Amino acid sequence: MAETENGRELWILGVGKEKDRGAVILDYLAQGGFRARQAAIEDLADGRPLGIILDISPHATDGWGLLLRLKADPATRDIPVLLVHLSEEGKVGGVFPVAGFFTLPPDNGYVAERLAVLGLTEDTEDYDLQALIISRKGEETIARALEQLGYEVVNAYTGKEAVALATTGHQYLIFCALMLPDMVVFELLERLRLYPQTRNIPVFVLLKENMKDGERMAMSRQIEHLVRKKELSRDEVLANLRRRG
């Protein structure tokens, strides 16, 4: 996400009815030169934000449900979304930047379009580029779409296997399921950022069309484990925001 342009704002969704929960991140954004406000998904009927900052903590108002609604709807799926974890008091415990989200089953035409917009298809004719797909069962439809774009597809079925392949191979981009048998995608991202050769690989997250209540609770528990009792500073939040692209 770039600094706000042409008067467009960043919207903060999912913080609930307690306006004070969004005060800290709103202050950080204002100090960083961003225009931002708390909003509701229904506001999209009357306007379009530059990007959305979405609370997916257990204290959020259906953060995972909001993410699925945004990314399943052709009218809103192009809006950049940055996931954050806000404590009950609104402190920023975690920021989780990814290159983008795609819902399953994928629209392969849309996948190709988004990768082209991001400049990730320009070199496939000139170089042998690999794409890593990380999922417990593999994603054949995504694999076919990437192969049609000129990528060689490599599969991993756990987070540990993915780290091993990514740190010893030459992957150009990564598609990863939200939940893996041994970790969630955000823990995998933390591990990949430890290595110079993997920290800047674009990672796209694959979302199931529907998440059961148990899956949402499991994700929330994993996120709580990742952030523990962290509190990110203004500079840390803004650095993650700008990295979201």
Side-chain angles (χ1 to χ4, degrees):
M1 295 177 184
E3 274 77 358
T4 46
E5 54 190 26
N6 300 324
R8 293 172 68 194
E9 301 173 308
L10 299 177
W11 289 4
I12 302 174
L13 268 61
V15 295
K17 296 180 180 179
E18 297 295 330
K19 296 293 184 182
D20 290 346
R21 284 197 67 241
V24 172
I25 196 165
L26 280 170
D27 182 56
Y28 286 173
L29 293 170
Q31 292 183 53
F34 293 91
R35 292 185 60 203
R37 68 178 178 91
Q38 291 182 207
I41 196 167
E42 291 76 19
D43 295 334
L44 289 166
D46 300 315
R48 185 182 179 92
L50 181 67
I52 290 172
I53 297 171
L54 178 62
D55 180 18
I56 44 83
S57 74
H59 312 290
T61 303
D62 193 24
W64 297 114
L66 291 174
L67 178 62
L68 292 175
R69 285 178 63 183
L70 288 166
K71 293 305 171 181
D73 187 344
T76 59
R77 63 187 180 184
D78 288 346
I79 301 173
V81 175
L82 178 67
L83 303 184
V84 300
H85 177 285
L86 302 181
S87 72
E88 191 170 4
E89 299 80 22
K91 297 176 182 178
V92 186
V95 181
F96 309 102
V98 298
F101 299 90
F102 293 107
T103 54
L104 297 172
D107 176 340
N108 285 354
Y110 177 63
V111 172
E113 174 191 320
R114 292 308 301 163
L115 294 184
V117 167
L118 295 171
L120 296 173
T121 60
E122 297 173 357
D123 297 326
T124 54
E125 293 184 3
D126 301 320
Y127 302 96
D128 295 326
L129 300 180
Q130 287 187 348
L132 178 61
I133 299 178
I134 313 164
S135 169
R136 70 178 68 202
K137 60 180 181 179
E139 299 296 343
E140 292 184 5
T141 307
I142 285 284
R144 285 196 297 271
L146 293 171
E147 287 168 347
Q148 289 172 2
L149 292 171
Y151 283 98
E152 176 191 351
V153 172
V154 178
N155 286 288
Y157 302 96
T158 67
K160 290 180 180 178
E161 183 183 7
V163 172
L165 287 170
T167 52
T168 57
H170 302 282
Q171 279 77 43
Y172 193 68
L173 51 78
I174 293 173
F175 283 74
C176 185
L178 188 63
M179 297 184 70
L180 299 169
D182 54 346
M183 65 184 72
V184 295
V185 64
F186 307 117
E187 181 178 350
L188 175 65
L189 287 170
E190 286 192 355
R191 296 191 183 193
L192 292 177
R193 290 193 190 111
L194 297 175
Y195 302 93
Q197 68 268 40
T198 58
R199 65 171 55 134
N200 293 318
I201 299 177
V203 177
F204 296 90
V205 177
L206 301 172
L207 303 170
K208 292 173 61 176
E209 192 172 16
N210 295 296
M211 286 179 67
K212 298 177 182 178
D213 289 343
E215 292 173 321
R216 298 185 192 201
M217 289 176 62
M219 280 299 304
S220 293
R221 285 196 297 269
Q222 291 287 342
I223 295 294
E224 288 279 88
H225 172 71
L226 281 177
V227 302
R228 296 181 182 89
K229 295 184 178 180
K230 292 180 184 175
E231 181 180 355
L232 301 187
S233 69
R234 177 198 62 193
D235 291 343
E236 289 173 315
V237 171
L238 295 176
N240 279 284
L241 184 68
R242 294 187 175 105
R243 190 163 66 224
R244 174 54 189 82

